[in-house]
Amino acid sequence: MRLVIFGATGRTGLELARQALDLGHEVTAVVRDAARLPAGLRDRVETVTADLADPQAVASAVKGGDAVLIALGPRGRGPTTVHTTAMRSILQAMARVPARRVLLVSAAGMVADAGDGPFTRYVLKPLILRPLLKNSYTDLAESERLLRASGLDWTIVRPSRLLDGGPTGRYRTALDLNLRGGRSTTRADLAACMLKLAADPASAGHVVSVAT
């Protein structure tokens, strides 16, 4: 596939790019600063430097892509619109091209449901995680809403707490429900899961939780 990765210089984005290339996919890395791409990747990917608030600039990147993978993240815990600003531009660009398949890295901590244990559902998430990460979660929730309403073939991927480290090969997934006991996810496992989902049309229109 030809994969378009937004946030390719971040820790999750780098994992996505490396694993995608190792699997034989073509990768377009959409970045704000191409110098932040490691030297070993620069000659293996197509790089597009774009202002994520500019749908026209983004459209040149997504044109011809089989799947768009969004792995953006805010810096710090202050007010942010990084996800919603980028999502609006990406959706407008995909409508123009057109392109259909899109996957978003979200967060399991922002939603409590029946898949969680009692402590996680009624204490950890509402009383600790949501207040602590209020700005980021508010931004993510709005970007999820925009994506759901887009009419595209979307998949929202919600990992538990992200950790650096290699692939464990033991990650679990759940469809439209949180994972009981899912406390952490390595970025390598998240990347492997996303690449598998990108090629799975049955996952379109669903939220997939992932954790070790």
Side-chain angles (χ1 to χ4, degrees):
M1 294 186 293
R2 179 171 176 260
L3 303 177
V4 181
I5 301 175
F6 288 84
T9 57
R11 286 178 289 178
T12 299
L14 287 171
E15 280 289 346
L16 281 168
R18 290 183 181 120
Q19 290 190 34
L21 290 167
D22 289 344
L23 290 171
H25 300 303
E26 297 178 18
V27 173
T28 297
V30 187
V31 299
R32 286 169 284 195
D33 180 5
R36 293 183 59 205
L37 272 175
L41 280 180
R42 288 178 205 164
D43 59 352
R44 301 179 65 197
V45 303
E46 178 185 352
T47 304
V48 175
T49 303
D51 178 356
L52 298 188
D54 181 358
Q56 186 172 350
V58 172
S60 65
V62 301
K63 186 176 182 180
D66 296 303
V68 172
L69 311 179
I70 306 171
L72 299 170
R75 296 177 182 176
R77 295 178 181 170
T80 179
T81 60
V82 64
H83 286 101
T84 52
T85 298
M87 183 61 74
R88 288 190 179 98
S89 292
I90 291 168
L91 294 179
Q92 289 180 43
M94 291 182 71
R96 292 178 185 178
V97 173
R100 298 227 27 104
R101 189 75 174 105
V102 54
L103 295 90
L104 169 69
V105 176
S106 186
M110 61 183 286
V111 175
D113 62 28
D116 294 311
F119 175 77
T120 300
R121 187 175 186 182
Y122 298 111
V123 179
L124 179 62
K125 289 184 176 180
L127 301 182
I128 300 173
L129 292 182
R130 286 180 188 167
L132 184 66
L133 301 171
K134 176 183 176 181
N135 292 310
S136 177
Y137 283 175
T138 298
D139 189 30
L140 269 173
E142 177 62 9
S143 69
E144 283 194 9
R145 186 193 69 79
L146 292 169
L147 185 56
R148 289 173 186 269
S150 68
L152 297 175
D153 298 330
W154 57 265
T155 301
I156 294 168
V157 185
R158 291 185 183 150
S160 51
R161 183 171 63 100
L162 284 171
L163 302 174
D164 292 327
T168 69
R170 300 189 305 272
Y171 70 84
R172 299 174 293 136
T173 61
L175 198 66
D176 300 319
L177 199 67
N178 287 331
L179 276 163
R180 181 68 62 96
R183 298 184 182 275
S184 63
T185 313
T186 68
R187 287 181 170 83
D189 280 348
L190 171 59
C193 178
M194 287 190 72
L195 292 171
K196 185 176 180 180
L197 291 170
D200 178 11
S203 69
H206 292 284
V207 176
V208 177
S209 298
V210 56
T212 302

